Amino acid sequence: MNCGSYETKTVNDDDLYCSRPVQVPSINKVEELSKRAGFDLTDNEVKEYREVMKGIVEGFSTVEKLNEPSLPVKYLRLPGYRPSEEENYLNAWSWRTEIQGAIEGPLHGKRVAIKDNVAVYGVPMMAGSWTLQGYMPEFDATVVTRILDAGKVIALLKFITKEIKIYL
């Protein structure tokens, strides 16, 4: 899927399924992140770190271009939506959708929440980080497929994850 190169500053925000998982941070973002980490960098050091990050992102670009086998998505779904403040007054949910799974199974009729670091086809995934903003998985994680295989309907609520938490 072509959503612009890693060198461009923006992705095609009009395309719901445009996916660019890693972005080069702006100079301001590098400064902000370094201060949050307790570093006091000079302007030259900030520029140097950004150049290093460009190289890393170029590596991701190379990997992303490789052909990757993927499993078919078994269950159709609508993309869903970001819940409104009224619907999400505790700011706990990043996304809402409903997916029809198997007609019967041990999870039939159960509601399931999925952490925002688990891939769900067509549902934005940020893992709590601006670096993944705009990333839209093109597959379901195995756990999502298994949950759908074990029940009829998932009213999917992706709950907010603190920045880059990769464990469950």
Side-chain angles (χ1 to χ4, degrees):
M1 182 173 304
N2 186 359
C3 297
S5 70
Y6 283 91
E7 292 76 29
T8 60
K9 293 183 180 178
T10 60
V11 296
N12 181 357
D13 293 328
D14 296 332
D15 186 351
L16 179 63
Y17 293 98
C18 189
S19 173
R20 189 176 70 187
V22 182
Q23 301 172 34
V24 178
S26 67
I27 294 289
N28 291 339
K29 194 66 170 181
V30 174
E31 288 173 339
E32 175 193 331
L33 293 172
S34 66
K35 286 178 184 171
R36 279 181 32 196
F39 296 109
D40 186 25
L41 301 178
T42 67
D43 289 345
N44 282 340
E45 288 172 323
V46 169
K47 289 176 185 172
E48 287 175 15
Y49 274 106
R50 186 167 188 276
E51 287 303 312
V52 168
M53 291 176 196
K54 275 185 181 179
I56 293 169
V57 169
E58 287 170 7
F60 282 115
S61 177
T62 301
V63 170
E64 188 177 51
K65 290 175 186 173
L66 297 174
N67 287 330
E68 178 181 357
S70 63
L71 298 173
V73 175
K74 291 173 69 173
Y75 302 98
L76 299 177
R77 76 283 316 262
L78 295 173
Y81 61 95
R82 184 174 305 284
S84 67
E85 286 184 29
E86 296 80 33
E87 196 176 12
N88 188 24
Y89 59 91
L90 295 176
N91 196 30
W93 309 108
S94 64
W95 205 257
R96 244 190 122 107
T97 192
E98 191 168 290
I99 304 171
Q100 301 284 336
I103 294 171
E104 55 186 40
L107 295 179
H108 175 75
K110 303 291 184 197
R111 291 186 171 267
V112 175
I114 302 292
K115 197 169 179 180
D116 189 31
N117 64 354
V118 176
V120 179
Y121 172 78
V123 176
M125 183 173 104
M126 288 184 57
S129 175
W130 65 272
T131 60
L132 292 176
Q133 189 169 0
Y135 175 58
M136 192 82 65
E138 298 172 2
F139 60 93
D140 282 334
T142 301
V143 68
V144 172
T145 300
R146 288 184 177 175
I147 289 169
L148 289 166
D149 284 345
K152 184 177 179 188
V153 176
I154 288 184
L156 181 75
L157 297 164
K158 285 193 94 174
F159 61 92
I160 291 174
T161 303
K162 291 294 183 187
E163 190 149 346
I164 305 292
K165 298 296 183 191
I166 57 172
Y167 48 86
L168 296 173

